[in-house]
Amino acid sequence: MSSNRRRTGPNGSDWRNALFIAPYLFFFLTLLVFPLFWGIWLSFHKADTFSSGAFVGFNNYVRLFNDHVFLQSIWNTFYFVFLTVPALAIIGLTLALALNSSSRLATVLRSLYFSSSVLSVTIVTLIWRIVFVPQFGLLSTIYGWFGAEAPAVLADPDLAMIGIALTTIWWCIGLPMMLFLAALQQIPGDIYEAAALDNAGWWRTLISITLPSIRRTFVLVLIIQIVLQFQLFGQSWLLTRGGPNNLTKPIVLYIYDIAFRRWDVGLGAAASEVLFALILVAAMTQYLISRRQEER
Amino acid sequence: MRIISKIVAVSVFAMMASAASAADQVEIKLQRFFGACDAQFGTNTDVGKAVGECGIITSLINKFNSSNPGIHISVTNVEWPGYDQLNAQFAAGDPPDIVTVHESALSDYQTKKLLLPLNDMLKSVGITPDQFTEAAQAGATKDGKLYGMPIDTWSELFHVNLDLFKKAGLVNADGTPIFPKSPEELIAQAEQFKAKTGKPYFVMSLANETALYMRDLYTYLFQQNSDFFADPKHIKLNTPEAKRFVEMYKTIFEKGLTTKNLDYSAALNAFLAGEGGVHLNGTWVVGDYDAQSKTPGTALNKGGYEVYPYPQLFSGAHQQFADGHTWAVSVKSRTAAQSDAIAKFLKFYFDNDYEWARTGHLPSVQAVLDSDKFKALPHRSTILAVAKLGHPLPAQVQRQFALQDIIGEEIGAAMSGQKPVDAALSEAEKRVNDLLGNL
């Protein structure tokens, strides 16, 4: 035993060291890796909620890409990501820049802007339903003051997704703002002092010092938000049920519909794999672009 | 010290007694929808005082528990319709013992052998299938056996604001509303209604809603003798009959003869606020609307509230789509005492079918339907006909809730002009058949 200990040493490759990561590894394998491969396996089978049936090859994928609702849901998801991610990044950055001070007002406003992030999706959508509901909602009341009729945001094919995006931005703005604030507070003060000595104005300081210094955080915010917003589900389900005419049905809602409401688990698994690939490609592209820029 | 010893002794005795009593008690897990109302009826056992679906079902279960000390029904309340949760429970091997299942959803579980055929269990407490109404039997019978004990029959109805109908001049000499007898008459009467009252004829819940489109499509296809589900695994919707229905509703929408953009609760509130003449909603609101009509100052109190089955607009069979609620029992290993307790609960609910029928649903028990006591309830004389007119889809049609979504999405798109009628019907047919072809 003692010779063994001597041979491996304190930093040696003793297999028992692996025990330290065993608990994590167990949950990682059982809750992430196994379901990932099981999902892939299911996507090649005709499976329902209570049984996994025959191997059907790529049939589920063929059905999937022949289903215009699925194609619509892919478009909807990208459209939603396009509506929300840039807005979250820009508004989050603007708020962070505006509130990056130690004044009491800034502290209160920071808490206020972050407070919506702690609400659950149920509460958030309830609040926004009260805003959007035709005839009796806040929007109708405001329009009513001017003698106008409010648009039926959640039932209008052109406005429904914008309504959901607005709800989401209101809900999620806290995290990007806090990440940007943390990044802004990491920038050394002497750089700003040097800029001030060089008579650099606010705009020049922002463009030449602040934004380049928080570039990595900007990329991080974009990646986090792309991954998060690709998984849109609760807001759509609770505000519009994916309607009107499937125009607000994102991929996750499509998967839920197919796998759990129609019991077509094989097709749902195939759609899940497509979503997985999309998120992976989007996040990796973002990551590689930012890395290449940094290397230059 | 002696006092403390006595307290400890009494506490231990009480705990042992309570544990012994709990051990003697048969525990049955029941899962239901119909909402939560514990604040109002959580401890009520006087069923006569309860109103509404939630109030009555909660009070009935309370009464059963209090009058059967050896049995305890523990209730899980799920959001309507609760099938996602039930599926997960079945998949995990931990389903409730008794669960509310729509007649239209029974096939899904019955074909997977997840539900118990109830004929023997019901027979053990003196209930035979012929004691149920024809509509209830038809809805709950699969492969010749009852796979759920029917507790009611429900359907969509024409809920009428009589005050607005009078203003529109659409009332007979005896005070009853005048209803159309053809699609053309429906449009003409609805236009007359709008011209005279300034309000739409219909209050429909069209936003984020699929049920109404589906139920109305089925009703008006039945009325045209369309055999759209001749094969339970294949729907035919690309037909002149389906097109006639969708075009009728599209005209209603385009001419502003219905409310638009309202979801279920907004439509309900709009009707109660007097925003339209006919609310298309189910039997379950009859009790609440009747109560409103008796409350001074409400829109329904002005000229009265009445409710009728759908008018016959086509020359085919006089039918309308109907469904029903059942108590289904999961397949699960149980003791004889547990099975007896379940049978006892089903018998209790059967015996209290009248109380449940106070919700507005039609009773599933023929004797209750025939009783003067039931007929004396408000509006039952007019909606009683649903017991005969009510018609479900063929028993073998599966995934009816999923079909509802597909059909609702496509017809909704056609009605609001987002899609041509033919394209919407073709797409609905294709999507439904893809679903049913891949079960």
Side-chain angles (χ1 to χ4, degrees), chain B residues 6 11 40 46 63 67 82 114 134 145-146 172 208 215 218 221 238 262 298 302 335 342 352 357-358 368 384 402 405:
Chain B
K6 276 184 182 170
S11 305
Q40 207 179 347
D46 186 351
K63 188 180 173 188
S67 53
L114 297 167
E134 273 179 35
K145 287 181 179 169
L146 283 177
N172 293 307
N208 310 332
R215 292 169 190 161
Y218 292 165
L221 288 182
N238 216 344
L262 301 184
T298 60
K302 274 188 195 169
T335 62
I342 292 170
N352 282 280
R358 288 197 296 110
V368 177
L384 195 62
D405 290 343

Side-chain angles (χ1 to χ4, degrees), chain B residues 16 28 35 40 50 65 87 105 132 146 162 186 202 228 266 304 336 363 418 434:
Chain B
M16 284 170 67
I28 299 296
Q40 207 179 347
N65 275 336
N87 293 347
F132 295 106
L146 283 177
L162 215 52
L186 172 63
F202 282 118
F228 58 101
Q418 292 171 57
D434 177 65

